[in-house]
Structures are given as structure tokens and as C-alpha cells.
Amino acid sequence: MKKAAIGATLARPIVARATRAPEPVGPETLVEIFSRLRAADPEPRAELEFLNPYTLLVAVVLSAQATDVGVNRATGPLFAVADNPEAMLALGEEQVRGFIRTIGLFNTKAKNVVALSRILVEQHGGAVPRSQAELQVLPGVGAKTASVVLNVAFGEPRIAVDTHIFRVANRIPLVVAATTDKVQAGLEALVPEPFRLNAHHWLILFGRYVCKARKPDCPRCPIADLCRYPDKTV
């Protein structure tokens, strides 16, 4: 399968601090926002590399509290020798640790990668399951990781919310909510169907490179005139 890439850096559960919460933009503005994001990047791609649904799953598990660049540096050599759960099991936990030693929490992550590989082999014939419930019982896989896999590997219109998307959604705002789960539910209910498949990609890239946490780059923002954030930069 051709190598693909997707930004899927996930983080700990997020709870918003007490901040101003303007009313979310209306439906027409929402369509215009995503139309502009699509025009700027018709085929959004990010930095977390993978080869197939299994390597996507492993990469996203490894990306928690780590950078995409750091994960890619480790998974390139790892996936060259183990791009399926059977091969990962053959490597074993100790060798997997050696490949991912530069990634934070590598001991726990190596254990999870081997354990989830065993479950895939023993219970799913080596295939990655296509349901949220079956994915979330795998070691190291939470709701966000499962949503990324369903969206990217299987084309389901899920919007996994990480720190970047959480910030952007509340800042514009598209959705005003205090937790990632509520932001995801709000976005999946509100984002129009033509944009829903790639919404995760557009928002995470927008939050990473334009609507940055400490100093959003408002002068080059394609939706600055539509955004209601009161503290725009000049």
C-alpha cells in the first residue's frame, strides 16, 4: 500500500480554563470557513507517516505526548521490519523498545504495541477492526486514537480532537465546549457533510501552523475576517 501521512498527535484529556466564550459562528459562516480551508489545502496531508491501517494504528499510539517528527524517526526503521502484527509479535517487546527508545514513555508504549498486536492476531485474524468499541479495548487506544484510525484508514467522517483542534474550535469559535469529547461531538454534528471527512486534517494543520497557541498568525489567516477571537494579532 502506498505510504500516506496524517497529523494525529494526540494528548491527554483537555479541560478548558475559564475564558470568554462568544457564540459559535452560524451555519453559513461555518460553510465559508471550511470552503476556504479546503481551497487553501484541497488534499490535506500532515506529518505522521504510515503504510497501512496497522502501522497507522501503531503510529498514533506512539504519537501520544510525542512529536510527529520524533515518531517518524523511530517508526521508519521499525515499520521496515514489522509492518503487520505478526511481525511485531516476532520482534517482541524488548526489540520494539529498542526501536522506539527516543519516544517518550517508550517502555509503556512498547508493551502496548506488542499487546495490541497479539490481540489483533488472536481475535481479529491480524486485521485492524473497523468499530470504535473494538478499537478502544486495544491497549494504548483511546477514543481519539480510534477516531483517527476510523477516519484515515476506513474513511469514516470522524473528527478526533487534539490540543490544536480543541483550541481552534473554541477560539473561532466553531464549538464552545470544555472537553475534547464535547468538542468532537459538537463538530461531528455541525460540520457539513462535504467537509467532514477531511475536517480533522484541516483543523489540526490550521491549529499547528496558523492559529498557534501563544501567538496566532492572524495576518496570514484565511478566515481572520470570519473568526470572532477578540485578541487577534496584528
Side-chain angles (χ1 to χ4, degrees), residues 152-166:
V152 179
F154 302 123
E156 292 195 17
R158 307 301 299 273
I159 306 175
V161 176
D162 74 339
T163 54
H164 298 297
I165 297 178
F166 181 81

Side-chain angles (χ1 to χ4, degrees), residues 16 32-33 61 111 113 115 122 148 170 186 198 201 210 224:
E32 180 62 20
I33 285 171
V61 167
K111 182 178 181 179
V113 166
E122 294 178 352
V148 170
N170 276 283
N198 285 322
H201 307 248
V210 180

Side-chain angles (χ1 to χ4, degrees), residues 164 167 171 207 210-217 229 231 233:
H164 298 297
R167 177 179 66 257
R171 184 180 273 175
V210 180
C211 197
K212 295 174 281 191
R214 294 188 178 181
K215 188 178 181 181
D217 196 353
Y229 182 57
D231 301 321
T233 58

Side-chain angles (χ1 to χ4, degrees), residues 193-206:
E193 191 277 333
F195 306 107
R196 209 171 299 149
L197 181 63
N198 285 322
H200 166 84
H201 307 248
W202 286 318
L203 291 175
I204 198 171
L205 290 170
F206 180 65

Side-chain angles (χ1 to χ4, degrees), residues 7-230:
T9 304
L10 303 178
R12 296 174 182 173
I14 307 162
V15 177
R17 297 177 180 178
T19 58
R20 285 167 290 185
E23 287 294 315
V25 299
E28 291 184 3
T29 302
L30 190 68
V31 169
E32 180 62 20
I33 285 171
F34 279 100
S35 295
R36 293 187 191 181
L37 294 178
R38 180 174 63 184
D41 191 2
E43 298 182 5
R45 293 172 62 86
E47 296 144 346
L48 194 64
E49 298 175 354
F50 64 96
L51 304 171
N52 52 41
Y54 171 73
T55 54
L56 170 64
L57 174 62
V58 172
V60 180
V61 167
L62 295 178
S63 74
Q65 302 175 52
T67 66
D68 290 351
V69 173
V71 171
N72 292 341
R73 190 178 297 120
T75 57
L78 175 62
F79 293 159
V81 297
D83 64 355
N84 60 77
E86 294 85 355
M88 197 71 74
L89 278 177
L91 276 183
E93 191 175 322
E94 183 176 350
Q95 289 193 67
V96 172
R97 268 200 306 272
F99 279 101
I100 67 170
R101 191 172 295 275
T102 55
I103 300 175
L105 305 176
F106 67 89
N107 282 316
T108 298
K109 290 178 179 179
K111 182 178 181 179
N112 286 339
V113 166
V114 172
L116 72 83
S117 299
R118 180 170 290 106
I119 292 173
L120 293 180
V121 170
E122 294 178 352
Q123 299 182 22
H124 300 282
V128 176
R130 300 182 62 154
S131 81
Q132 183 91 14
E134 289 177 309
L135 284 167
Q136 282 190 229
V137 300
L138 298 174
V141 178
K144 299 179 191 68
T145 298
S147 292
V148 170
V149 172
L150 292 173
N151 176 243
V152 179
F154 302 123
E156 292 195 17
R158 307 301 299 273
I159 306 175
V161 176
D162 74 339
T163 54
H164 298 297
I165 297 178
F166 181 81
R167 177 179 66 257
V168 167
N170 276 283
R171 184 180 273 175
I172 293 174
L174 305 175
V175 175
V176 176
T179 67
T180 54
D181 289 344
K182 290 181 179 179
V183 169
Q184 178 169 347
L187 289 173
E188 289 180 355
L190 293 171
V191 174
E193 191 277 333
F195 306 107
R196 209 171 299 149
L197 181 63
N198 285 322
H200 166 84
H201 307 248
W202 286 318
L203 291 175
I204 198 171
L205 290 170
F206 180 65
R208 182 175 291 168
Y209 297 113
V210 180
C211 197
K212 295 174 281 191
R214 294 188 178 181
K215 188 178 181 181
D217 196 353
C218 299
R220 72 180 188 93
C221 174
I223 61 167
D225 59 315
L226 305 175
C227 172
R228 296 176 178 178
Y229 182 57

